[in-house]
Amino acid sequence: MNQGLVLALDIGGTNARGEVLDARLGAPLVRADLPTPERDGEATIATIASLCRLLLAGLSDVDRSRVCAVGLAVPGIIEGPTGVVRLASNLGWADEPVAARLSALLGLDVVLHHDVTAAGVAEHRLGAGAGASDLLAVFIGTGMAALVVAGGEVVSGGLHQAGEIGHIPVQQGGRPCPCGQTGCLEMYASARAIGRAYGALTGDPDATSLDVVTALGSDPRADSVWAEAMDWLAHGLLGPITLLSPARVVLGGGLSASGAVLVDALRSRLDVLSHVAAVPEIVTASLGQRAGVLGSGLATFDAIERRQLV
C-alpha cells in the first residue's frame, strides 16, 4: 500500500474543503475548510493555496514530508490530463491552467479532478452506489452534474465532458445560465435555483432550499416552488434515464439532505412522466459532504500508482 499522504480537496461554489488522507481513506489526519470566493478566479487560486497551507501546518514534520500530491476536485469543464479548467463559471475560471499554477505555488504535484466525478466515484466504491454496475449519481447543490457508471466503469466520454447534466437545456430561450447558455436544468432545479425562487416570492434574498423544505406543508409558496423544481428535475433526468437505463440513481449534494422528501417527490413524478424507460431505484448519497474529498483522495492515489508521481 502507498505510504504517502495526499491533500484531498473539494472546491465547491460555497465552501472549499480539504483533508489530509492516507491510502486507507479512513479518518483524516487534518481537516480544514474555507469559504470559496464567488466568481473571482484569482481569489479562488489564493484560497486553495491557503487551504493547502492550513492542512500542511497541521501535520508533524515527519508527516509533512510524506505528502506526495494534491488532489483537486473542482466543478466545471476540466481537462484532467492537462490540469486545465476550461470553464468553471462559479469559480471565475476560463481556460485556466489551475494545476500548474498551484503546483508552482505549493511545490507539489497537483492532480485535477471533476468534483462530481470524484464524489460519484466515492459513492460508487464506498457509499450508496456500491454494488451497482450501472449507475447515475446526480449531485444537486450550487450547480448540478452527474457521474455515469456503465458496466462497472466510469464513463468520461470521448471528449472527457460526460456528466454535465446541469447544462442540458430544458427550456428553449429560458433563464440565462452563467455558462452562457439559456434554459439549463440547474437554473430550475439546483439547490441555489430553489432558494432563489423562494426568495423571490418571500422577499428574502438569503432564502435557501433548506428553508423551502422546512416550510413544506405550512407555506403554500414553498409547496409551489418545490413542486415546480421537482417537475423540472424529473423532466431533466428522464432523458438520461431513458438513454442509459441505470439500475440505480444516487442523489447527492446539498439538496440530498432533504432525504425522503426529495426521493419520493422525484420518483412520483418520474412514474408519471416515464412511458418507455423503467424508473430505477432512487436513493440518497451516504457519504455526505466527505464524498468529494474522499473521491479526490481515491482518484489521486489511483493517479499516483498509474503515473508514478512519487
Side-chain angles (χ1 to χ4, degrees):
M1 178 178 289
N2 188 297
Q3 298 300 308
L5 301 174
V6 159
L7 307 185
L9 310 183
D10 177 25
I11 312 303
T14 304
N15 293 303
R17 300 182 177 90
E19 296 183 4
V20 182
L21 298 173
D22 62 24
R24 294 170 297 180
L25 299 174
L29 280 72
V30 183
R31 176 186 289 131
D33 62 87
L34 292 171
T36 306
E38 187 170 357
R39 299 181 188 175
D40 185 333
E42 290 304 309
T44 302
I45 292 283
T47 295
I48 295 170
S50 295
L51 180 59
C52 289
R53 293 180 182 121
L54 274 176
L55 294 170
L56 290 168
L59 294 172
S60 67
D61 290 343
V62 171
D63 282 340
R64 199 174 300 123
S65 70
R66 295 171 58 203
V67 174
C68 51
V70 177
L72 180 63
V74 301
I77 299 171
I78 72 166
E79 290 180 357
T82 66
V84 174
V85 177
R86 289 301 174 198
L87 178 65
S89 53
N90 290 328
L91 300 182
W93 289 334
D95 295 323
E96 189 68 52
V98 171
R101 290 192 60 187
L102 286 168
S103 183
L105 287 171
L106 299 168
L108 290 165
D109 285 308
V110 176
V111 187
L112 189 65
H113 315 289
H114 192 284
D115 63 340
V116 166
T117 299
V121 165
E123 288 290 346
H124 181 229
R125 289 166 62 173
L126 306 173
S133 59
D134 293 272
L135 175 75
L136 185 65
V138 183
F139 291 82
I140 310 170
T142 303
M144 290 179 65
L147 173 81
V148 178
V149 177
E153 298 292 329
V154 173
V155 177
S156 61
L159 300 177
H160 309 291
Q161 294 181 11
E164 290 294 339
I165 195 169
H167 295 292
I168 293 177
V170 293
Q171 186 174 48
Q172 186 175 6
R175 297 171 187 168
C177 179
C179 77
Q181 296 180 163
T182 59
C184 290
L185 176 61
E186 70 177 48
M187 300 308 297
Y188 299 88
S190 67
R192 173 180 281 180
I194 292 169
R196 284 178 172 172
Y198 189 52
L201 293 178
T202 62
D204 180 2
D206 299 319
T208 68
S209 59
L210 177 60
D211 295 329
V212 175
V213 173
T214 302
L216 289 175
S218 62
D219 184 348
R221 297 169 298 183
D223 295 340
S224 174
V225 166
W226 184 256
E228 182 177 0
M230 293 303 101
D231 286 342
W232 281 115
L233 182 59
H235 178 66
L237 291 182
L238 183 59
I241 287 171
T242 303
L243 178 66
L244 300 169
S245 190
R248 189 179 304 164
V249 172
V250 175
L251 301 175
L255 198 64
S256 68
S258 53
V261 173
L262 172 62
V263 171
D264 294 347
L266 177 59
R267 171 169 283 284
S268 67
R269 284 157 174 78
L270 284 172
D271 284 340
V272 171
L273 286 176
S274 182
H275 296 280
V276 176
V279 177
E281 177 187 14
I282 303 173
V283 300
T284 53
S286 63
L287 298 176
Q289 293 183 341
R290 286 198 77 202
V293 170
L294 286 171
S296 180
L298 273 170
T300 303
F301 279 114
D302 287 348
I304 289 170
E305 296 299 323
R306 188 169 59 249
R307 295 163 53 187
Q308 297 182 334
L309 295 179
V310 295

